[in-house]
């Protein structure tokens, strides 16, 4: 009962609090117009292959809901949006479902609606390998996100604040399960130091989930009636910076999913320019399916895709991946971040991973 109440409050406060207050810092990046794009829109290819599944559009709905029967219809509608638009979907944490059987229908409904599509399971880094496999089996999942959420747990009254042994447990989960494991943050981003540590342990798939979008520490503080300090309220690695670190750290064959406050076609274009293989959109779609329904949410996805194509035409790119080769102008705090990291700005005007 307590877990179900918490999951409903997560949705309530995610919609009430909105994004931030941290900025994604994607706005610090400016594109240079290509006055000779030599592009025929008929030749655009937005589809991408991710984790063995072909997506019509290079987007996915990232993890947020589940673990209580009360959100079954929300997940059904989100899955219908994914099926209608040809994008993937990751579910919220299945930890409660595999521990005590709570809210299983809120997850299985996703595979019912997205029968042939990309479905990604989700489990805590605290889970056992057996629980992780149970989460996969529940969904017939194509991959499993294992989430890291130290900041959220810190402000959760019932949270687990002992983070010892997480990396070793991640390795055990990865080695035991039947599908690829994606290491995912939950809104505080992954920095280069942790990308490197995870790479050393053999991980090859990441969801940066940077700061600037849904703020789970703020949600947990709101649940407890606690006021966060300004610094803690904006805690985390902004999405832009997490992608920048990934671009400087990950090899070409790594899978990089971009999420965390990506709301517009411009945000998505910048994420692809920073090396993303696909872009996660969550809060806007959650709000739309709750307030306006599946049609409105699907229209949002199609509008996002149309906007992305406009950026691609103006930059002379036929695919999202080609955006990695466009020139970027770096401004604001991101320019300072690059300097503090010791990256060479001249080389970073064109971002190439690995």
């Amino acid at each position: 009962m307590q877990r179900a109440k918490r999951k409903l409050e997560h949705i309530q406060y995610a919609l009430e609090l909105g994004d931030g207050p941290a900025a994604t810092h994607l706005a610090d990046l400016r594109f240079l117009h290509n006055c000779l794009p030599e592009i025929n829109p008929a030749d655009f290819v937005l589809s991408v292959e991710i984790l063995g599944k072909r997506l019509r559009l290079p987007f996915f709905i990232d993890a947020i809901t589940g673990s209580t029967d009360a959100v079954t219809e929300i997940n059904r509608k989100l899955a219908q949006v994914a099926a209608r638009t040809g994008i993937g979907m990751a579910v919220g944490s299945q930890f409660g479902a595999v521990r005590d059987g709570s809210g299983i229908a809120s997850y299985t409904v996703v595979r019912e609606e997205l029968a042939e599509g990309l479905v990604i399971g989700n489990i805590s880094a605290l889970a056992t390998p057996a629980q992780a496999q149970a989460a996969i089996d529940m969904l017939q999942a194509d991959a499993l996100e294992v989430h890291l959420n130290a900041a959220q747990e810190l402000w959760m009254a019932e949270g687990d604040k002992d983070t010892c042994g997480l990396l070793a447990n991640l390795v055990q989960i990865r080695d035991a399960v039947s599908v690829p494991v994606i290491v995912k943050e939950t809104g505080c981003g992954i920095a280069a130091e942790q990308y490197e540590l995870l790479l050393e342990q053999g991980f090859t798939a990441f969801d940066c989930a940077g700061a600037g979008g849904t703020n789970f520490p703020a949600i947990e503080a709101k649940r407890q009636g606690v006021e966060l300090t300004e610094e803690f309220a904006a805690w985390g690695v902004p999405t832009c910076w997490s992608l920048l670190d990934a671009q400087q750290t990950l090899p070409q064959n790594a899978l990089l999913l971009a999420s965390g406050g990506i709301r517009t076609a411009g945000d998505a274009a910048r994420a692809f320019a920073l090396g993303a293989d696909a872009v996660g959109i969550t809060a806007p779609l959650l709000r739309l399916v709750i307030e306006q329904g599946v049609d409105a949410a699907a229209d949002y996805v199609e509008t996002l895709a149309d906007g992305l194509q406009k950026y691609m035409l103006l930059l002379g790119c036929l695919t999202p991946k080609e955006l990695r080769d466009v020139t970027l102008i770096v401004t604001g705090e991101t320019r300072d971040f690059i300097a503090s990291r010791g990256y060479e700005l001249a080389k970073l005007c064109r971002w190439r991973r690995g």
Side-chain angles (χ1 to χ4, degrees), residues 75-98:
N75 269 359
R76 182 187 301 279
K77 290 177 180 178
L78 288 171
Q80 288 172 346
V81 172
R84 184 177 302 187
T85 58
I87 65 176
M89 179 171 173
V91 301
S93 175
Q94 297 169 262
F95 201 25
V98 298

mmCIF file with all atom_site columns, all heavy atoms in Angstrom, residues 75-98:
data_model
loop_
_atom_site.group_PDB
_atom_site.id
_atom_site.type_symbol
_atom_site.label_atom_id
_atom_site.label_alt_id
_atom_site.label_comp_id
_atom_site.label_asym_id
_atom_site.label_entity_id
_atom_site.label_seq_id
_atom_site.pdbx_PDB_ins_code
_atom_site.Cartn_x
_atom_site.Cartn_y
_atom_site.Cartn_z
_atom_site.occupancy
_atom_site.B_iso_or_equiv
_atom_site.pdbx_formal_charge
_atom_site.auth_seq_id
_atom_site.auth_comp_id
_atom_site.auth_asym_id
_atom_site.auth_atom_id
_atom_site.pdbx_PDB_model_num
ATOM 1   N N   . ASN A 1 75 ? -0.111 3.475   -18.193 1.00 0.00 ? 75 ASN A N   1
ATOM 2   C CA  . ASN A 1 75 ? 0.896  2.744   -18.959 1.00 0.00 ? 75 ASN A CA  1
ATOM 3   C C   . ASN A 1 75 ? 0.311  2.175   -20.248 1.00 0.00 ? 75 ASN A C   1
ATOM 4   O O   . ASN A 1 75 ? 1.001  2.094   -21.268 1.00 0.00 ? 75 ASN A O   1
ATOM 5   C CB  . ASN A 1 75 ? 1.506  1.628   -18.106 1.00 0.00 ? 75 ASN A CB  1
ATOM 6   C CG  . ASN A 1 75 ? 2.742  2.094   -17.356 1.00 0.00 ? 75 ASN A CG  1
ATOM 7   O OD1 . ASN A 1 75 ? 3.156  3.238   -17.475 1.00 0.00 ? 75 ASN A OD1 1
ATOM 8   N ND2 . ASN A 1 75 ? 3.333  1.206   -16.573 1.00 0.00 ? 75 ASN A ND2 1
ATOM 9   N N   . ARG A 1 76 ? -0.960 1.776   -20.203 1.00 0.00 ? 76 ARG A N   1
ATOM 10  C CA  . ARG A 1 76 ? -1.593 1.290   -21.429 1.00 0.00 ? 76 ARG A CA  1
ATOM 11  C C   . ARG A 1 76 ? -1.597 2.398   -22.489 1.00 0.00 ? 76 ARG A C   1
ATOM 12  O O   . ARG A 1 76 ? -1.250 2.175   -23.654 1.00 0.00 ? 76 ARG A O   1
ATOM 13  C CB  . ARG A 1 76 ? -3.030 0.834   -21.152 1.00 0.00 ? 76 ARG A CB  1
ATOM 14  C CG  . ARG A 1 76 ? -3.731 0.267   -22.403 1.00 0.00 ? 76 ARG A CG  1
ATOM 15  C CD  . ARG A 1 76 ? -5.201 -0.012  -22.153 1.00 0.00 ? 76 ARG A CD  1
ATOM 16  N NE  . ARG A 1 76 ? -5.402 -0.963  -21.071 1.00 0.00 ? 76 ARG A NE  1
ATOM 17  C CZ  . ARG A 1 76 ? -5.306 -2.288  -21.216 1.00 0.00 ? 76 ARG A CZ  1
ATOM 18  N NH1 . ARG A 1 76 ? -4.997 -2.801  -22.402 1.00 0.00 ? 76 ARG A NH1 1
ATOM 19  N NH2 . ARG A 1 76 ? -5.518 -3.083  -20.188 1.00 0.00 ? 76 ARG A NH2 1
ATOM 20  N N   . LYS A 1 77 ? -1.964 3.594   -22.073 1.00 0.00 ? 77 LYS A N   1
ATOM 21  C CA  . LYS A 1 77 ? -2.032 4.707   -23.026 1.00 0.00 ? 77 LYS A CA  1
ATOM 22  C C   . LYS A 1 77 ? -0.640 5.083   -23.538 1.00 0.00 ? 77 LYS A C   1
ATOM 23  O O   . LYS A 1 77 ? -0.467 5.371   -24.727 1.00 0.00 ? 77 LYS A O   1
ATOM 24  C CB  . LYS A 1 77 ? -2.712 5.903   -22.373 1.00 0.00 ? 77 LYS A CB  1
ATOM 25  C CG  . LYS A 1 77 ? -4.204 5.695   -22.124 1.00 0.00 ? 77 LYS A CG  1
ATOM 26  C CD  . LYS A 1 77 ? -4.819 6.887   -21.401 1.00 0.00 ? 77 LYS A CD  1
ATOM 27  C CE  . LYS A 1 77 ? -6.303 6.661   -21.152 1.00 0.00 ? 77 LYS A CE  1
ATOM 28  N NZ  . LYS A 1 77 ? -6.913 7.799   -20.409 1.00 0.00 ? 77 LYS A NZ  1
ATOM 29  N N   . LEU A 1 78 ? 0.347  5.085   -22.651 1.00 0.00 ? 78 LEU A N   1
ATOM 30  C CA  . LEU A 1 78 ? 1.709  5.378   -23.091 1.00 0.00 ? 78 LEU A CA  1
ATOM 31  C C   . LEU A 1 78 ? 2.185  4.335   -24.098 1.00 0.00 ? 78 LEU A C   1
ATOM 32  O O   . LEU A 1 78 ? 2.817  4.679   -25.115 1.00 0.00 ? 78 LEU A O   1
ATOM 33  C CB  . LEU A 1 78 ? 2.651  5.425   -21.888 1.00 0.00 ? 78 LEU A CB  1
ATOM 34  C CG  . LEU A 1 78 ? 2.516  6.636   -20.962 1.00 0.00 ? 78 LEU A CG  1
ATOM 35  C CD1 . LEU A 1 78 ? 3.349  6.438   -19.698 1.00 0.00 ? 78 LEU A CD1 1
ATOM 36  C CD2 . LEU A 1 78 ? 2.937  7.930   -21.667 1.00 0.00 ? 78 LEU A CD2 1
ATOM 37  N N   . ALA A 1 79 ? 1.876  3.076   -23.842 1.00 0.00 ? 79 ALA A N   1
ATOM 38  C CA  . ALA A 1 79 ? 2.261  2.015   -24.769 1.00 0.00 ? 79 ALA A CA  1
ATOM 39  C C   . ALA A 1 79 ? 1.525  2.156   -26.097 1.00 0.00 ? 79 ALA A C   1
ATOM 40  O O   . ALA A 1 79 ? 2.085  1.865   -27.164 1.00 0.00 ? 79 ALA A O   1
ATOM 41  C CB  . ALA A 1 79 ? 1.989  0.651   -24.145 1.00 0.00 ? 79 ALA A CB  1
ATOM 42  N N   . GLN A 1 80 ? 0.288  2.605   -26.057 1.00 0.00 ? 80 GLN A N   1
ATOM 43  C CA  . GLN A 1 80 ? -0.457 2.843   -27.296 1.00 0.00 ? 80 GLN A CA  1
ATOM 44  C C   . GLN A 1 80 ? 0.176  3.967   -28.101 1.00 0.00 ? 80 GLN A C   1
ATOM 45  O O   . GLN A 1 80 ? 0.234  3.906   -29.332 1.00 0.00 ? 80 GLN A O   1
ATOM 46  C CB  . GLN A 1 80 ? -1.916 3.166   -26.972 1.00 0.00 ? 80 GLN A CB  1
ATOM 47  C CG  . GLN A 1 80 ? -2.706 1.959   -26.489 1.00 0.00 ? 80 GLN A CG  1
ATOM 48  C CD  . GLN A 1 80 ? -4.098 2.326   -25.987 1.00 0.00 ? 80 GLN A CD  1
ATOM 49  O OE1 . GLN A 1 80 ? -4.409 3.498   -25.742 1.00 0.00 ? 80 GLN A OE1 1
ATOM 50  N NE2 . GLN A 1 80 ? -4.938 1.319   -25.820 1.00 0.00 ? 80 GLN A NE2 1
ATOM 51  N N   . VAL A 1 81 ? 0.650  4.998   -27.409 1.00 0.00 ? 81 VAL A N   1
ATOM 52  C CA  . VAL A 1 81 ? 1.373  6.078   -28.087 1.00 0.00 ? 81 VAL A CA  1
ATOM 53  C C   . VAL A 1 81 ? 2.623  5.524   -28.766 1.00 0.00 ? 81 VAL A C   1
ATOM 54  O O   . VAL A 1 81 ? 2.908  5.831   -29.931 1.00 0.00 ? 81 VAL A O   1
ATOM 55  C CB  . VAL A 1 81 ? 1.753  7.193   -27.096 1.00 0.00 ? 81 VAL A CB  1
ATOM 56  C CG1 . VAL A 1 81 ? 2.675  8.214   -27.752 1.00 0.00 ? 81 VAL A CG1 1
ATOM 57  C CG2 . VAL A 1 81 ? 0.508  7.873   -26.551 1.00 0.00 ? 81 VAL A CG2 1
ATOM 58  N N   . ALA A 1 82 ? 3.372  4.691   -28.040 1.00 0.00 ? 82 ALA A N   1
ATOM 59  C CA  . ALA A 1 82 ? 4.589  4.111   -28.595 1.00 0.00 ? 82 ALA A CA  1
ATOM 60  C C   . ALA A 1 82 ? 4.279  3.246   -29.810 1.00 0.00 ? 82 ALA A C   1
ATOM 61  O O   . ALA A 1 82 ? 4.970  3.325   -30.836 1.00 0.00 ? 82 ALA A O   1
ATOM 62  C CB  . ALA A 1 82 ? 5.316  3.293   -27.528 1.00 0.00 ? 82 ALA A CB  1
ATOM 63  N N   . ALA A 1 83 ? 3.232  2.439   -29.712 1.00 0.00 ? 83 ALA A N   1
ATOM 64  C CA  . ALA A 1 83 ? 2.861  1.560   -30.822 1.00 0.00 ? 83 ALA A CA  1
ATOM 65  C C   . ALA A 1 83 ? 2.410  2.375   -32.032 1.00 0.00 ? 83 ALA A C   1
ATOM 66  O O   . ALA A 1 83 ? 2.760  2.067   -33.176 1.00 0.00 ? 83 ALA A O   1
ATOM 67  C CB  . ALA A 1 83 ? 1.763  0.600   -30.385 1.00 0.00 ? 83 ALA A CB  1
ATOM 68  N N   . ARG A 1 84 ? 1.630  3.411   -31.798 1.00 0.00 ? 84 ARG A N   1
ATOM 69  C CA  . ARG A 1 84 ? 1.082  4.220   -32.895 1.00 0.00 ? 84 ARG A CA  1
ATOM 70  C C   . ARG A 1 84 ? 2.177  4.997   -33.619 1.00 0.00 ? 84 ARG A C   1
ATOM 71  O O   . ARG A 1 84 ? 2.114  5.167   -34.843 1.00 0.00 ? 84 ARG A O   1
ATOM 72  C CB  . ARG A 1 84 ? 0.027  5.179   -32.355 1.00 0.00 ? 84 ARG A CB  1
ATOM 73  C CG  . ARG A 1 84 ? -0.667 5.991   -33.440 1.00 0.00 ? 84 ARG A CG  1
ATOM 74  C CD  . ARG A 1 84 ? -1.747 6.877   -32.877 1.00 0.00 ? 84 ARG A CD  1
ATOM 75  N NE  . ARG A 1 84 ? -2.774 6.141   -32.140 1.00 0.00 ? 84 ARG A NE  1
ATOM 76  C CZ  . ARG A 1 84 ? -3.890 6.695   -31.667 1.00 0.00 ? 84 ARG A CZ  1
ATOM 77  N NH1 . ARG A 1 84 ? -4.110 7.994   -31.842 1.00 0.00 ? 84 ARG A NH1 1
ATOM 78  N NH2 . ARG A 1 84 ? -4.758 5.973   -31.007 1.00 0.00 ? 84 ARG A NH2 1
ATOM 79  N N   . THR A 1 85 ? 3.175  5.478   -32.891 1.00 0.00 ? 85 THR A N   1
ATOM 80  C CA  . THR A 1 85 ? 4.205  6.333   -33.491 1.00 0.00 ? 85 THR A CA  1
ATOM 81  C C   . THR A 1 85 ? 5.477  5.573   -33.867 1.00 0.00 ? 85 THR A C   1
ATOM 82  O O   . THR A 1 85 ? 6.356  6.138   -34.520 1.00 0.00 ? 85 THR A O   1
ATOM 83  C CB  . THR A 1 85 ? 4.577  7.482   -32.534 1.00 0.00 ? 85 THR A CB  1
ATOM 84  O OG1 . THR A 1 85 ? 5.046  6.936   -31.298 1.00 0.00 ? 85 THR A OG1 1
ATOM 85  C CG2 . THR A 1 85 ? 3.365  8.378   -32.272 1.00 0.00 ? 85 THR A CG2 1
ATOM 86  N N   . GLY A 1 86 ? 5.585  4.328   -33.436 1.00 0.00 ? 86 GLY A N   1
ATOM 87  C CA  . GLY A 1 86 ? 6.758  3.529   -33.775 1.00 0.00 ? 86 GLY A CA  1
ATOM 88  C C   . GLY A 1 86 ? 7.988  3.873   -32.973 1.00 0.00 ? 86 GLY A C   1
ATOM 89  O O   . GLY A 1 86 ? 9.110  3.898   -33.499 1.00 0.00 ? 86 GLY A O   1
ATOM 90  N N   . ILE A 1 87 ? 7.795  4.149   -31.673 1.00 0.00 ? 87 ILE A N   1
ATOM 91  C CA  . ILE A 1 87 ? 8.926  4.430   -30.793 1.00 0.00 ? 87 ILE A CA  1
ATOM 92  C C   . ILE A 1 87 ? 8.982  3.357   -29.705 1.00 0.00 ? 87 ILE A C   1
ATOM 93  O O   . ILE A 1 87 ? 8.085  2.528   -29.590 1.00 0.00 ? 87 ILE A O   1
ATOM 94  C CB  . ILE A 1 87 ? 8.838  5.836   -30.171 1.00 0.00 ? 87 ILE A CB  1
ATOM 95  C CG1 . ILE A 1 87 ? 7.623  5.961   -29.238 1.00 0.00 ? 87 ILE A CG1 1
ATOM 96  C CG2 . ILE A 1 87 ? 8.773  6.895   -31.277 1.00 0.00 ? 87 ILE A CG2 1
ATOM 97  C CD1 . ILE A 1 87 ? 7.539  7.309   -28.517 1.00 0.00 ? 87 ILE A CD1 1
ATOM 98  N N   . GLY A 1 88 ? 10.035 3.366   -28.902 1.00 0.00 ? 88 GLY A N   1
ATOM 99  C CA  . GLY A 1 88 ? 10.183 2.383   -27.835 1.00 0.00 ? 88 GLY A CA  1
ATOM 100 C C   . GLY A 1 88 ? 9.595  2.867   -26.529 1.00 0.00 ? 88 GLY A C   1
ATOM 101 O O   . GLY A 1 88 ? 9.151  4.012   -26.410 1.00 0.00 ? 88 GLY A O   1
ATOM 102 N N   . MET A 1 89 ? 9.609  1.989   -25.516 1.00 0.00 ? 89 MET A N   1
ATOM 103 C CA  . MET A 1 89 ? 9.103  2.374   -24.195 1.00 0.00 ? 89 MET A CA  1
ATOM 104 C C   . MET A 1 89 ? 9.828  1.606   -23.107 1.00 0.00 ? 89 MET A C   1
ATOM 105 O O   . MET A 1 89 ? 9.992  0.386   -23.183 1.00 0.00 ? 89 MET A O   1
ATOM 106 C CB  . MET A 1 89 ? 7.604  2.123   -24.092 1.00 0.00 ? 89 MET A CB  1
ATOM 107 C CG  . MET A 1 89 ? 7.032  2.487   -22.719 1.00 0.00 ? 89 MET A CG  1
ATOM 108 S SD  . MET A 1 89 ? 5.222  2.446   -22.685 1.00 0.00 ? 89 MET A SD  1
ATOM 109 C CE  . MET A 1 89 ? 4.939  2.691   -20.906 1.00 0.00 ? 89 MET A CE  1
ATOM 110 N N   . ALA A 1 90 ? 10.263 2.341   -22.098 1.00 0.00 ? 90 ALA A N   1
ATOM 111 C CA  . ALA A 1 90 ? 10.799 1.745   -20.871 1.00 0.00 ? 90 ALA A CA  1
ATOM 112 C C   . ALA A 1 90 ? 9.787  1.954   -19.757 1.00 0.00 ? 90 ALA A C   1
ATOM 113 O O   . ALA A 1 90 ? 9.162  3.014   -19.672 1.00 0.00 ? 90 ALA A O   1
ATOM 114 C CB  . ALA A 1 90 ? 12.130 2.395   -20.498 1.00 0.00 ? 90 ALA A CB  1
ATOM 115 N N   . VAL A 1 91 ? 9.619  0.974   -18.907 1.00 0.00 ? 91 VAL A N   1
ATOM 116 C CA  . VAL A 1 91 ? 8.680  1.090   -17.797 1.00 0.00 ? 91 VAL A CA  1
ATOM 117 C C   . VAL A 1 91 ? 9.385  1.635   -16.563 1.00 0.00 ? 91 VAL A C   1
ATOM 118 O O   . VAL A 1 91 ? 10.608 1.703   -16.507 1.00 0.00 ? 91 VAL A O   1
ATOM 119 C CB  . VAL A 1 91 ? 8.029  -0.272  -17.463 1.00 0.00 ? 91 VAL A CB  1
ATOM 120 C CG1 . VAL A 1 91 ? 7.286  -0.824  -18.670 1.00 0.00 ? 91 VAL A CG1 1
ATOM 121 C CG2 . VAL A 1 91 ? 9.073  -1.273  -16.959 1.00 0.00 ? 91 VAL A CG2 1
ATOM 122 N N   . GLY A 1 92 ? 8.591  2.045   -15.572 1.00 0.00 ? 92 GLY A N   1
ATOM 123 C CA  . GLY A 1 92 ? 9.137  2.450   -14.286 1.00 0.00 ? 92 GLY A CA  1
ATOM 124 C C   . GLY A 1 92 ? 9.654  1.245   -13.511 1.00 0.00 ? 92 GLY A C   1
ATOM 125 O O   . GLY A 1 92 ? 9.506  0.090   -13.936 1.00 0.00 ? 92 GLY A O   1
ATOM 126 N N   . SER A 1 93 ? 10.240 1.506   -12.367 1.00 0.00 ? 93 SER A N   1
ATOM 127 C CA  . SER A 1 93 ? 10.873 0.446   -11.580 1.00 0.00 ? 93 SER A CA  1
ATOM 128 C C   . SER A 1 93 ? 9.922  -0.704  -11.291 1.00 0.00 ? 93 SER A C   1
ATOM 129 O O   . SER A 1 93 ? 8.812  -0.514  -10.809 1.00 0.00 ? 93 SER A O   1
ATOM 130 C CB  . SER A 1 93 ? 11.395 1.015   -10.261 1.00 0.00 ? 93 SER A CB  1
ATOM 131 O OG  . SER A 1 93 ? 11.913 -0.023  -9.456  1.00 0.00 ? 93 SER A OG  1
ATOM 132 N N   . GLN A 1 94 ? 10.387 -1.914  -11.574 1.00 0.00 ? 94 GLN A N   1
ATOM 133 C CA  . GLN A 1 94 ? 9.621  -3.137  -11.314 1.00 0.00 ? 94 GLN A CA  1
ATOM 134 C C   . GLN A 1 94 ? 10.014 -3.794  -9.998  1.00 0.00 ? 94 GLN A C   1
ATOM 135 O O   . GLN A 1 94 ? 9.611  -4.926  -9.719  1.00 0.00 ? 94 GLN A O   1
ATOM 136 C CB  . GLN A 1 94 ? 9.836  -4.134  -12.456 1.00 0.00 ? 94 GLN A CB  1
ATOM 137 C CG  . GLN A 1 94 ? 9.354  -3.671  -13.807 1.00 0.00 ? 94 GLN A CG  1
ATOM 138 C CD  . GLN A 1 94 ? 9.836  -4.576  -14.926 1.00 0.00 ? 94 GLN A CD  1
ATOM 139 O OE1 . GLN A 1 94 ? 10.815 -4.272  -15.582 1.00 0.00 ? 94 GLN A OE1 1
ATOM 140 N NE2 . GLN A 1 94 ? 9.161  -5.693  -15.127 1.00 0.00 ? 94 GLN A NE2 1
ATOM 141 N N   . PHE A 1 95 ? 10.794 -3.084  -9.173  1.00 0.00 ? 95 PHE A N   1
ATOM 142 C CA  . PHE A 1 95 ? 11.344 -3.680  -7.959  1.00 0.00 ? 95 PHE A CA  1
ATOM 143 C C   . PHE A 1 95 ? 10.237 -4.215  -7.047  1.00 0.00 ? 95 PHE A C   1
ATOM 144 O O   . PHE A 1 95 ? 10.305 -5.335  -6.537  1.00 0.00 ? 95 PHE A O   1
ATOM 145 C CB  . PHE A 1 95 ? 12.194 -2.645  -7.228  1.00 0.00 ? 95 PHE A CB  1
ATOM 146 C CG  . PHE A 1 95 ? 13.195 -3.223  -6.267  1.00 0.00 ? 95 PHE A CG  1
ATOM 147 C CD1 . PHE A 1 95 ? 13.679 -4.505  -6.413  1.00 0.00 ? 95 PHE A CD1 1
ATOM 148 C CD2 . PHE A 1 95 ? 13.677 -2.457  -5.205  1.00 0.00 ? 95 PHE A CD2 1
ATOM 149 C CE1 . PHE A 1 95 ? 14.614 -5.028  -5.536  1.00 0.00 ? 95 PHE A CE1 1
ATOM 150 C CE2 . PHE A 1 95 ? 14.607 -2.973  -4.320  1.00 0.00 ? 95 PHE A CE2 1
ATOM 151 C CZ  . PHE A 1 95 ? 15.076 -4.258  -4.482  1.00 0.00 ? 95 PHE A CZ  1
ATOM 152 N N   . GLY A 1 96 ? 9.196  -3.409  -6.843  1.00 0.00 ? 96 GLY A N   1
ATOM 153 C CA  . GLY A 1 96 ? 8.095  -3.845  -5.993  1.00 0.00 ? 96 GLY A CA  1
ATOM 154 C C   . GLY A 1 96 ? 7.369  -5.045  -6.570  1.00 0.00 ? 96 GLY A C   1
ATOM 155 O O   . GLY A 1 96 ? 6.986  -5.973  -5.843  1.00 0.00 ? 96 GLY A O   1
ATOM 156 N N   . ALA A 1 97 ? 7.193  -5.045  -7.877  1.00 0.00 ? 97 ALA A N   1
ATOM 157 C CA  . ALA A 1 97 ? 6.464  -6.133  -8.524  1.00 0.00 ? 97 ALA A CA  1
ATOM 158 C C   . ALA A 1 97 ? 7.181  -7.460  -8.382  1.00 0.00 ? 97 ALA A C   1
ATOM 159 O O   . ALA A 1 97 ? 6.545  -8.502  -8.160  1.00 0.00 ? 97 ALA A O   1
ATOM 160 C CB  . ALA A 1 97 ? 6.237  -5.805  -9.997  1.00 0.00 ? 97 ALA A CB  1
ATOM 161 N N   . VAL A 1 98 ? 8.514  -7.449  -8.502  1.00 0.00 ? 98 VAL A N   1
ATOM 162 C CA  . VAL A 1 98 ? 9.235  -8.720  -8.396  1.00 0.00 ? 98 VAL A CA  1
ATOM 163 C C   . VAL A 1 98 ? 9.442  -9.128  -6.946  1.00 0.00 ? 98 VAL A C   1
ATOM 164 O O   . VAL A 1 98 ? 9.663  -10.310 -6.652  1.00 0.00 ? 98 VAL A O   1
ATOM 165 C CB  . VAL A 1 98 ? 10.593 -8.659  -9.134  1.00 0.00 ? 98 VAL A CB  1
ATOM 166 C CG1 . VAL A 1 98 ? 10.386 -8.413  -10.613 1.00 0.00 ? 98 VAL A CG1 1
ATOM 167 C CG2 . VAL A 1 98 ? 11.515 -7.606  -8.534  1.00 0.00 ? 98 VAL A CG2 1
#
